[in-house]
Amino acid sequence: MTTERSTTPAPHERKVVLYRNGSVYTAADPFATAMLVDGDTVAWVGSEQAASSIADSSMEIIDLHGALVAPGFVDSHVHLTETGIALGSLQLGGMRSARQLLDAVAAAKGDGPLLGHGWDESTWEDPALPAAEELELAAGGRSVFLARVDAHSALVSSSLAAAAGLGGLDGYTTGSQVKRAAHTAARQEARRLPEASLLAYQRRALTEAAENGYVALAEMAAPHIGGVSDLRLAATWNTASGEAMPEILPYWGELATSEEQARALLDDLGVSVRGLAGDLNIDGSIGSRTAALRAGYSDATGERGNLYVSAEQAGAHLAACSLLGIQGGFHVIGDAGLDAALEALEIAAADVGEQRIRAAGHRFEHVELADADAVQQLARYAVTVSAQPGFDAAWGSDGGMYAQRLGSRSRSMNPYASFYAAGVPISFGSDSPVTPLRPWSSVRACLEHHNHAERISARAAFLGHTRAGWRAAKYHNPMAGQLVPGAPASFAVWEVEELMVQVADGRVQSWSTDPRARTPLLPALDTGADPVCLQTMRDGIELYSSTALRS
């Protein structure tokens, strides 16, 4: 199937488009088959009969041929440049041994730094990693930086280690794997790329997102990832003329010690951000064994991960952000990391008052290990959890990486149903490039959670991937993320095999097509294939189109 990209229309252009003969996912009419878009706004949704009465020659009329029109996806946690680099570099997800990885490095063409992404030794029969000298030899002298799938550690060649000055840094040993401060320094050395290259990587990531039905992405920038220059480049896509792309919802993950310092941080950025939140790391990741745990890792005696920020520092940060009325928040994965984040909420509330904390709409990223008490605390302070269902799909199965690292504790990870039951706001994303920009696979992961008690319905998962993403970012338009008259015309068109209602526990669903249910239908996700994106629109501007849409 061939595809084509669209450019932004000139400001004076205003199109009226009628979509008909399909299905529209809308609360306004669960049986709607047609939708009228006037410029950047949804003007009407309704029946096929009504569509026939309003169609005229002034409109572009698109016959959906049974396709589904649904609100566009919002990814609540991505890294644009890292995603583009991963898409354009050595793909290591299929490697099953150090030997295979070294062979892939040796076969890689080109000059300059050799970048790769996606290796996961938890899937290898022998988890032993290659030596730095072996990487150097295989690459023929090119410097090598190979990011682990979780992006919290990497394999580096001896020449890159020397160029980055890793000797003596925390997280550097005589082996090839680097963590913590050494990982940050190695990544920054490997990413010393011209601005044109960085923009090209971001363009590739945004194109990938548009082709998969995303209309907005929360960019989680931070000093230890790409720095302020990377954030500024990402923010330019919202104002770039001539290139229609998903909207960027930018965050900056840097610690503030006071209201005054937080204000100075924001002023110095040179771009507007939605908060001092995102990948402000309280801890690391399960896969790299840097997530902070109450008890040690099951497969590494004595290791309990790392706390990068204390409860007192985190509390001062949340208090400062609350006083400014902006979102604060952290990357937090382990249960000990979450303990520190929850203590920080208490410290901040004692300083500025609980109401200010709740009103700021703070957000915590990932929150994979949360017990019942923690869930209640998150609800009390109205903290949004920005979670990644793809993590459970990739590592939550019996014998998977989570079980290897945590044993029986892995059973309680990613408690989506518990969050919903307690009233914790939750939005979903990919943490791309950690998991791919495949929104329906992410929705399916919620339906097929490894712990049946934590599964949620397709409708809840879909809302968490769409409207909740806008809410998590405190977006200015409360109608964003739905297709009702007056809402932004931000949506995607999908070729689907079947539409149905899917509940979390797999009960027989014959009632779902009963008109009395009045429940909008979503694609059946048990067919073995994701729906195919035919078109993505943001505010009435076409970001992506398949030639099949208008054929």
Side-chain angles (χ1 to χ4, degrees):
M1 179 184 293
T2 58
T3 60
E4 56 188 34
R5 302 272 318 159
S6 298
T7 56
T8 308
H12 65 274
E13 291 184 48
R14 175 170 164 269
K15 292 180 66 177
V16 178
V17 183
L18 177 64
Y19 295 82
R20 61 182 303 180
N21 190 29
S23 182
V24 181
Y25 187 92
T26 172
D29 179 355
F31 310 115
T33 62
M35 180 175 76
L36 186 69
V37 174
D38 187 348
D40 61 0
T41 304
V42 176
W44 169 86
V45 292
S47 68
E48 195 61 28
Q49 182 178 0
S52 297
S53 68
I54 63 175
D56 64 43
S57 59
S58 68
M59 305 172 181
E60 179 185 5
I61 298 177
I62 295 179
D63 189 332
L64 294 168
H65 298 290
L68 171 69
V69 181
F73 285 100
V74 179
D75 195 305
S76 285
H77 190 120
V78 300
H79 303 281
L80 277 185
T81 303
E82 303 302 315
T83 296
I85 289 174
L87 289 169
S89 66
L90 199 57
Q91 304 295 308
L92 302 173
M95 303 297 103
R96 291 297 176 264
S97 69
R99 182 70 265 161
Q100 286 187 8
L101 185 145
L102 288 169
D103 288 345
V105 169
K109 306 298 182 184
D111 50 23
L114 175 56
L115 305 178
H117 174 83
W119 61 271
D120 181 358
E121 84 289 3
S122 73
T123 66
W124 299 359
E125 186 173 329
D126 177 359
L129 300 172
E133 294 74 19
E134 290 180 298
L135 288 171
E136 190 81 21
L137 182 62
R142 294 172 66 188
S143 62
V144 180
F145 180 90
L146 308 178
R148 193 181 185 280
V149 64
D150 58 7
H152 280 263
S153 64
L155 303 179
V156 300
S157 62
S158 48
S159 60
L160 182 68
L166 301 189
L169 291 182
D170 179 41
Y172 179 66
T173 66
T174 56
S176 62
Q177 187 176 18
V178 292
K179 301 180 182 181
R180 302 185 292 277
H183 176 240
T184 296
R187 174 162 55 188
Q188 290 174 342
E189 176 65 27
R191 282 169 106 272
R192 292 186 189 279
L193 301 168
E195 182 175 298
S197 296
L198 295 175
L199 280 171
Y201 282 129
Q202 291 187 356
R203 180 181 291 106
R204 181 160 187 171
L206 287 164
T207 299
E208 178 83 359
E211 291 175 355
N212 284 280
Y214 289 98
V215 295
L217 308 169
E219 165 67 3
M220 297 301 175
H224 66 281
I225 300 176
V228 174
S229 59
D230 208 54
L231 168 70
R232 290 171 180 160
L233 285 179
T236 62
W237 292 103
N238 286 341
T239 56
S241 60
E243 291 192 84
M245 294 292 186
E247 183 168 355
I248 303 300
L249 307 171
Y251 286 86
W252 180 245
E254 186 170 357
L255 199 65
T257 58
S258 66
E259 179 184 3
E260 294 72 26
Q261 202 242 340
R263 186 179 289 110
L265 269 178
L266 294 169
D267 290 343
D268 289 345
L269 289 177
V271 296
S272 177
V273 295
R274 309 200 76 81
L276 296 174
D279 269 349
L280 202 176
N281 289 4
I282 277 186
D283 68 351
S285 73
I286 300 291
S288 291
R289 299 191 189 89
T290 51
L293 303 182
R294 294 171 182 167
Y297 283 88
S298 299
D299 59 352
T301 303
E303 290 195 37
R304 296 176 63 174
N306 304 95
L307 272 179
Y308 302 130
V309 175
S310 70
E312 291 73 22
Q313 289 173 311
H317 178 80
L318 291 176
C321 291
S322 299
L323 288 170
L324 288 180
I326 65 169
Q327 289 180 292
F330 312 98
H331 161 118
V332 54
I333 285 182
D335 47 10
L338 185 56
D339 288 342
L342 295 174
E343 185 181 346
L345 286 168
E346 298 282 359
I347 291 170
D351 186 11
V352 302
E354 185 173 323
Q355 185 53 41
R356 269 206 173 112
I357 301 298
R358 291 176 57 86
H362 301 308
R363 53 185 293 160
F364 291 173
E365 309 300 311
H366 315 310
V367 195
E368 292 201 79
L369 281 166
D371 60 23
D373 288 342
V375 171
Q376 291 302 319
Q377 280 286 84
L378 292 166
R380 173 184 170 189
Y381 287 107
V383 174
T384 293
V385 168
S386 168
Q388 291 70 42
F391 289 7
D392 185 78
W395 304 305
S397 61
D398 291 343
M401 186 268 289
Y402 286 154
Q404 295 175 33
R405 297 286 192 269
L406 302 176
S408 61
R409 288 170 291 174
S410 66
R411 181 73 178 163
S412 62
M413 291 184 69
N414 298 302
Y416 303 146
S418 295
F419 286 142
Y420 273 105
V424 176
I426 186 167
S427 64
F428 293 121
S430 64
D431 196 12
S432 180
V434 178
T435 63
L437 291 162
R438 298 293 184 270
W440 291 112
S441 292
S442 189
V443 173
R444 183 188 295 107
C446 294
L447 280 166
E448 298 177 354
H449 194 291
H450 80 278
N451 182 347
H452 287 223
E454 296 299 346
R455 293 178 175 179
I456 59 176
S457 69
R459 179 176 180 272
F462 181 73
L463 291 175
H465 283 84
T466 53
R467 194 173 185 186
W470 297 111
R471 290 179 172 178
K474 298 187 72 175
Y475 197 68
H476 66 274
N477 188 338
M479 299 186 74
Q482 52 186 326
L483 297 181
V484 296
S490 296
F491 57 90
V493 179
W494 301 93
E495 182 181 319
V496 295
E497 294 182 22
E498 181 183 1
L499 295 172
M500 63 191 302
V501 171
Q502 294 149 102
V503 295
D505 61 5
R507 290 174 297 184
V508 176
Q509 297 159 10
S510 58
W511 60 271
S512 65
T513 55
D514 188 325
R516 291 170 295 181
R518 297 195 62 79
T519 303
L521 305 181
L522 286 167
L525 297 175
D526 58 358
T527 62
D530 285 354
V532 175
C533 187
L534 300 176
Q535 185 188 46
T536 306
M537 301 285 293
R538 177 173 71 84
D539 294 329
I541 297 171
E542 191 172 77
L543 309 184
Y544 163 76
S545 177
S546 163
T547 53
L549 178 73
R550 295 179 173 89
S551 61

